[in-house]
């Protein structure tokens, strides 16, 4: 079992803040919110993060919310993201700060078909979030996801994995994430 502890990270941030000539140390992205939520002292870290190290926006990567897809990604589910989002909002309100989470979502990851894309689009709608940019899955060397993309098999289980390779379907999945953009209406309607 992973024991999540951010005390060393917090100590480093505190040290950086005291260095001569250092005005601000901002964290813009790369924070594993799932590990943070798993830390029993997450509130202390989150408080200092919001108070000293966020410059208005913090980018985090839930990437998807369908359990079918997040399990293949090895990522936490949407409930962990929502828990972190609520904690982030609560801490910022208590500090009197107006700061925002910017979630990063991905279309066409192995395991994601149109059903999962619609599930993600509905989640984005319910968040009242309007992503300006979306990322279509791009295979990267050495990753488990890339192995699934090329083989259509989860190498950990041997099970078949759906992979969207049809350009039209990939465009539809992407358009669903930006369903409010008028240029995407025909694909979303389809």
């Amino acid at each position: 079992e992973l024991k999540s502890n951010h005390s060393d990270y917090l100590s480093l941030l505190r040290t950086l803040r005291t260095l001569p000539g250092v005005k601000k140390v901002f964290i813009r992205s790369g924070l594993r919110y799932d590990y943070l939520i798993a830390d029993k002292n997450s509130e202390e870290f989150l408080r200092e993060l919001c108070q000293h190290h966020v410059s208005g926006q913090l980018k985090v990567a839930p990437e998807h919310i369908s359990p079918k897809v997040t399990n293949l990604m090895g990522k936490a589910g949407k409930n962990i993201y929502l828990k972190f989002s609520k904690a982030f909002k609560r801490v910022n309100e208590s500090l009197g700060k107006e700061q925002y989470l910017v979630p990063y979502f991905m279309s066409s990851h192995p395991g994601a078909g149109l059903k999962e894309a619609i599930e993600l689009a509905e989640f984005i709608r319910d968040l009242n979030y309007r992503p300006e940019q979306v990322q279509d899955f791009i295979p990267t060397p050495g990753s488990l996801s890339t192995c699934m993309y090329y083989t259509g098999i989860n190498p950990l289980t041997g099970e078949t994995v759906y992979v969207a390779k049809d350009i039209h379907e990939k465009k539809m999945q992407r358009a669903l994430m930006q369903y409010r953009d008028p240029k995407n209406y025909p694909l979303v309607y389809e």
Side-chain angles (χ1 to χ4, degrees):
E1 180 180 327
L2 177 68
K3 292 186 170 56
S4 181
N5 183 311
H6 289 75
S7 59
D8 288 343
Y9 192 6
L10 191 54
S11 177
L12 176 63
L13 289 172
R14 288 173 178 160
T15 300
L16 291 172
R17 287 196 313 254
T18 65
L19 291 175
V22 173
K23 293 181 181 180
K24 297 282 185 183
V25 177
F26 291 127
I27 297 168
R28 295 186 157 281
S29 65
L31 184 73
R32 286 294 305 257
Y33 64 87
D34 51 340
Y35 291 167
L36 180 59
I37 289 297
D39 187 340
K40 64 180 180 187
N41 294 319
S42 64
E43 195 75 21
E44 177 187 16
F45 181 85
L46 192 54
R47 182 171 263 317
E48 286 203 36
L49 174 75
C50 293
Q51 187 169 10
H52 300 288
H53 302 288
V54 176
S55 64
Q57 293 183 341
L58 178 64
K59 297 176 184 177
V60 293
E63 295 184 313
H64 215 284
I65 53 85
S66 169
K68 181 179 174 184
V69 181
T70 56
N71 287 339
L72 291 169
M73 290 177 162
K75 299 279 268 178
K78 74 177 177 184
N79 290 339
I80 299 297
Y81 171 73
L82 291 171
K83 184 175 180 180
F84 176 75
S85 179
K86 286 177 187 170
F88 183 82
K89 183 177 181 183
R90 183 184 68 250
V91 167
N92 277 296
E93 284 174 352
S94 74
L95 293 169
K97 291 187 170 260
E98 188 174 334
Q99 301 189 116
Y100 302 94
L101 278 182
V102 178
Y104 164 82
F105 294 108
M106 180 183 294
S107 63
S108 302
H109 186 277
L114 286 175
K115 177 179 178 267
E116 291 76 24
I118 290 168
E119 187 178 354
L120 177 57
E122 289 173 340
F123 181 78
I124 289 169
R125 176 203 62 208
D126 294 348
L127 283 180
N128 198 27
Y129 178 59
R130 295 176 183 229
E132 292 178 22
Q133 297 177 329
V134 296
Q135 178 66 51
D136 191 33
F137 174 76
I138 298 171
T140 54
S143 74
L144 188 63
S145 295
T146 295
C147 180
M148 288 185 269
Y149 176 82
Y150 284 111
T151 66
I153 297 170
N154 180 344
L156 302 177
T157 65
E159 295 174 329
T160 300
V161 175
Y162 175 76
V163 178
K165 290 191 177 178
D166 177 78
I167 298 299
H168 188 68
E169 181 187 341
K170 290 169 80 69
K171 286 180 180 179
M172 288 172 71
Q173 285 199 34
R174 192 179 173 123
L176 282 163
M177 293 170 61
Q178 294 177 309
Y179 66 90
R180 289 183 173 120
D181 187 336
K183 76 176 191 230
N184 290 331
Y185 288 177
L187 286 170
V188 171
Y189 180 76
E190 184 181 336

